[in-house]
Amino acid sequence: YENAASAMKIKSYLQPLSVNEQFLFGDILFAAGVPAEAANLYSTAIDRSSDMATVSQYEMLASALLSAQKTDLASEAINKALKIKPTTRLYSLLGDVEYSRENYKEAFNAFSSAADINPDNGRLWLMAGYCAVELEKYGDAKLALERACMFSKQKQSATELLQQLSK
């Protein structure tokens, strides 16, 4: 990634990058572990494309901002994108943002909304279960965790938490 990032940086010195090139450069930087710089490029590219920005582009921006621990900006980008079209990924990202802030009610609502759109994602059910436990909504936690148990990657964690709840 270092060579690709260097090439894009040199190109940007020679001539302004197009919107697509800014997204590509952002992708390279994000993959290279520089999410804050990627977020800056994504944000500039979205601003340049104004009303043409896609939900996918906002998802990329929000992911980079979340990785850079800029939760306020990530939340702002997610909420803009949700007005365009609600997606599982956007609600999941919003859940991650709110969970990291310990806003468990908002995180629970976001993970639940994501699971309503895509009920075949065990992580969403598991995270909704974790949030419900934090909120002491044990009935909701049990329902979400039972759903999470249906997925091999989440089964062990969900089962262990269900066992703790039954004590």
Side-chain angles (χ1 to χ4, degrees):
Y1 298 110
E2 187 176 313
N3 290 340
S6 295
M8 290 298 285
K9 190 69 167 173
I10 291 168
K11 182 176 182 350
S12 75
Y13 291 142
L14 300 174
Q15 68 185 36
L17 298 176
S18 70
V19 170
N20 286 340
E21 289 170 332
Q22 282 185 298
F23 278 110
L24 176 61
F25 193 12
D27 290 344
I28 292 166
L29 291 174
F30 192 48
V34 193
E37 289 300 315
N40 289 338
L41 283 162
Y42 293 150
S43 182
T44 301
I46 286 171
D47 288 346
R48 285 180 59 199
S49 41
S50 62
D51 294 338
M52 301 298 288
T54 67
V55 169
S56 174
Q57 292 167 337
Y58 277 106
E59 289 172 348
M60 292 163 41
L61 173 59
S63 293
L65 289 166
L66 187 56
S67 292
Q69 299 180 351
K70 296 182 177 187
T71 56
D72 290 340
L73 293 173
S75 179
E76 184 180 311
I78 293 164
N79 285 311
K80 282 182 185 177
L82 283 169
K83 291 176 184 173
I84 298 169
K85 181 183 178 193
T87 67
T88 301
R89 179 78 178 129
L90 287 171
Y91 279 122
S92 179
L93 286 168
L94 184 59
D96 291 338
V97 167
E98 297 303 340
Y99 191 86
S100 73
R101 294 174 167 173
E102 298 181 5
N103 293 333
Y104 298 115
K105 182 177 181 185
E106 291 83 0
F108 175 79
N109 291 337
F111 287 124
S112 296
S113 293
D116 287 343
I117 296 170
N118 182 8
D120 295 326
N121 184 325
R123 179 183 178 275
L124 301 173
W125 294 111
L126 182 63
M127 293 305 297
Y130 284 147
C131 293
V133 168
E134 291 293 337
L135 295 168
E136 298 180 2
K137 295 172 69 173
Y138 300 117
D140 289 338
K142 185 175 185 242
L143 291 172
L145 293 169
E146 286 172 349
R147 292 290 298 266
C149 283
M150 294 183 208
F151 301 89
S152 59
K153 288 183 180 180
Q154 290 77 28
K155 186 174 185 172
Q156 182 177 350
S157 297
T159 301
E160 288 172 3
L161 190 50
L162 280 169
Q163 287 171 348
Q164 289 177 5
L165 290 176
S166 66
K167 292 180 181 180

